[in-house]
Amino acid sequence: MGRRSSSISPPLLHEEQDPEPPPSHPATKKLALIPLIFLIYFEVAGGPYGEESAVRAAGPLFAILGFLIFPFIWSMPEALVTAELATTFPGNGGFVIWAHRAFGPFWGSLMGSWKFLSGVVNLASYPVLCIDYLKLAIPSLSSGIPHHVAIFVSTSVLSFLNYTGLTIVGYTAVTLGIVSLSPFVVMTLISIPKIHPSRWISLGEKSVKKDWTLFFNTLFWNLNFWDNASTLAGEVENPQKSYPKALLSAGILTCLAYLIPLLAAIGAIPLDQEDWVNGYFADAAEAIAGKWLKIWMEVGAVLSAIGLFEAQLSSCAYQFLGMADLGVLPKSFGVRSKWFSTPWLGILVGTAIALAVSYLNFSDIISSVNFLYSLGMLLEFASFLWLRRKMASTKRPFRVPLGMPGLMVMCLVPSGFLIYVMAVATKTVYLVSALLTLVGIVWYFVMKFFRSKKWIEFNNTEGNGEDDHLDLE
């Protein structure tokens, strides 16, 4: 099993005590730096696949500027927050621990609900994206029973790979990352003589109306989830040193992986804005180099989708484990596999929910993920600021080098964007998000009732009272 209540309660209850890395399962092999870098890379991006809609929505110039500027105003603050909190409070609960420490068990539980649901909903999109590319080669997968069967089979097989262990998943991510990026490197090199820089500053075709909601949702979806790797902290070798290095390396890799192919495709091919939809890079590869590169690109897209799925499911499963260790979920929910020491129940629950929502429209999936994720990130930024204020003397292996006014500005800019993303959501997204939030609230009080009646065993039972957080007075 994972961490016991005796190892968690003191750091959760006492401000003056510096947090220690929680012990992981004795049979668990620690995750090294390079696999962690690629897991973070796949949590966030996984390659340029999926960024094409930004050109379709706003034109070449705004798409380029979006992927150039957005990482600094959104991704960097999120990554810095993750680096500080993941190294200060390492554990498989990740952001659940942070909200719990700052505002108490209710907000920790609600954070867990928002992030877990957003994670598994996001998880559902990857088999859909994978099948979208495969159907180009196998048209029978486009619709009907073959389409549904393909999603079910691919989701189940990929989930089993996750069950075999985080170390295997980590090195699989390294391989998938290198192989899936290789066709973009080739396409970029071949495109250099064909590039016309004037195409980069095009505002788009006048006949195509700007779709800013799609534009910002595409940027948001392609550049978020930096904090998801925090749920793996209990499985990482020396997390206090590994996380800052891994986040910086993954950030550089992500930015280059988005910008360079985008500049190459836009610069080398005359603009037909309507063509820039998911999967367009394969057509661009054919136009630049030939059919062989298109096939290679489509294979890379499938491999990228596999990496995205594995990284996201790992984050969700270990968050599930961490919530059980914290007492947010029953102790039995934190069970590990006897063979692989993986949180098999978390993997099973995440897979089941992902399958249940995998038949939604892809744009609906993105919108739902963005709204739930926005709620969680607003709480995460608030937890970060509150913990910095109330636990200023706590040892931080990595510390964002800003005072409180600077930190507030750093969090305010992305928070404004989060509010914008929520404001432009559809009524359906509002309704679904409200219902899911209500489910999370009801879940907390049901678990609290069960704990009080001692009908179900929980870890850290004594540490889940309403006073188990920082003094707010």
Side-chain angles (χ1 to χ4, degrees), residues 33-115:
L33 177 61
I34 297 300
L36 179 60
I37 291 172
F38 278 87
L39 281 174
I40 294 174
Y41 167 69
F42 275 112
E43 293 279 8
V44 177
Y49 307 102
E51 72 171 330
E52 299 100 325
S53 295
V55 179
R56 165 65 181 83
L61 178 60
F62 285 111
I64 293 170
L65 290 176
F67 282 100
L68 182 63
I69 298 172
F70 200 66
F72 290 96
I73 64 174
W74 166 251
S75 300
M76 185 177 292
E78 185 182 5
L80 288 172
V81 167
T82 300
E84 177 168 322
L85 295 182
T87 55
T88 306
F89 309 105
N92 288 333
F95 32 71
V96 180
I97 297 175
W98 311 338
H100 188 286
R101 291 295 303 267
F103 302 122
F106 171 78
W107 290 104
S109 177
L110 191 58
M111 171 74 91
S113 298
W114 281 337
K115 289 299 190 99

Side-chain angles (χ1 to χ4, degrees), residues 39-46 221-226 254 258:
L39 281 174
I40 294 174
Y41 167 69
F42 275 112
E43 293 279 8
V44 177
W221 183 75
N222 279 281
L223 288 165
N224 63 12
F225 291 99
W226 290 94
T254 297
Y258 276 133

Side-chain angles (χ1 to χ4, degrees), residues 269-320:
I269 301 173
L271 179 64
D272 190 343
Q273 201 168 332
E274 295 284 359
D275 290 343
W276 281 82
V277 295
N278 288 329
Y280 175 73
F281 272 124
D283 295 329
E286 182 178 20
I288 291 171
K291 184 74 172 180
W292 62 274
L293 188 56
K294 177 180 181 179
I295 295 173
W296 189 1
M297 190 78 70
E298 290 170 350
V299 171
V302 174
L303 297 178
S304 176
I306 293 172
L308 289 161
F309 184 95
E310 297 299 337
Q312 185 69 64
L313 182 55
S314 294
S315 174
C316 292
Y318 281 94
Q319 179 195 334
F320 202 80

